[in-house]
Amino acid sequence: LGVDAEAVLQGRDDARAVFQKRLLSLIDEASADQQVTAAQKTYDQAVRDFESNGNSMVVAAGNSGRVVRMLQMDSSEVELAPDFYRNILANDQVTTVGSTRQFLGSEMVADYTNKDSGIDLYADGDIGKDWGTSFATPRIASIMARLHRENPQATSAEVEVMVGNRFGQKFDHYADSPTAPAVDEAQVKQWLSDSLF
């Protein structure tokens, strides 16, 4: 990217800020590449086909929620593309999942969750010492799979609404995160155990 690697690593001058700016520009350029956009169209059609058969595609929002704060350590002028936080696998058909976590006795949106305006649902993303939207996503996927089985004629969008209506809770404060229902894990566990017996 035309920046001295040693200067970036040592944080000399504005090398890190220049590196970050050029890297973000490269990401924007790559996402507009014709091969990428063609692959995106193929993927979008595959999702539509999959969901038309009584299924739901569920994807993680991503874990870049802290990225702006980190970039601002090197430059106060951080410019991100409007869709910077959007997972490339997220589209209008899929269910995009963000993470929650416990903090000081309260559940809230995890600060690492992408600030993607397309987030549809939240679930707990902490698994012991590990965390991430990739841990929250299977929780939502399992609920949706069970609801699809119970409601075979329901579309993916209808099942997504069922999850929010049946198990969702809203927080008093989302900070700068998108507002979407967060599943009540205790309620889901009870429902899953009741339906097994």
Side-chain angles (χ1 to χ4, degrees), residues 6 8 20 24 28 45 53 56 62 65 78 84 97 111 125-126 134 141 154 160 169 171 174 176-177 179 187 194:
E6 205 56 42
V8 171
Q20 290 167 355
L24 290 171
D28 290 343
Q45 185 59 53
N53 289 316
S56 291
V78 178
F84 174 81
V97 180
D111 64 344
D126 287 3
S134 293
E160 187 179 294
Q169 58 183 337
F171 300 126
Y174 281 84
D176 58 348
S177 297
T179 303
Q187 189 180 1
D194 287 349

Side-chain angles (χ1 to χ4, degrees), residues 27-136:
I27 291 169
D28 290 343
E29 187 180 307
S31 64
D33 182 86
Q34 288 181 345
Q35 289 181 329
V36 172
T37 55
Q40 187 70 50
K41 287 179 183 175
T42 302
Y43 167 77
D44 291 346
Q45 185 59 53
V47 169
R48 283 191 291 275
D49 293 345
F50 179 73
E51 291 200 342
S52 70
N53 289 316
N55 301 299
S56 291
M57 178 72 77
V58 185
V59 301
N63 301 322
S64 301
R66 299 172 179 157
V67 78
V68 170
R69 201 167 57 225
M70 294 169 65
L71 293 173
Q72 286 172 335
M73 292 168 63
D74 296 305
S75 173
S76 59
E77 299 175 18
V78 178
E79 293 181 31
L80 300 177
D83 62 348
F84 174 81
Y85 286 116
R86 193 155 180 89
N87 179 340
I88 197 165
L89 299 177
N91 60 31
D92 292 339
Q93 285 77 44
V94 305
T95 300
T96 303
V97 180
S99 287
T100 63
R101 69 183 325 172
Q102 293 292 325
F103 184 71
L104 299 177
S106 297
E107 187 175 15
M108 59 185 56
V109 175
D111 64 344
Y112 57 77
T113 295
N114 279 7
K115 311 301 183 198
D116 177 0
S117 61
I119 290 176
D120 300 297
L121 296 164
Y122 289 98
D124 185 357
D126 287 3
I127 309 290
K129 295 180 181 177
D130 296 317
W131 51 263
T133 56
S134 293
F135 294 113

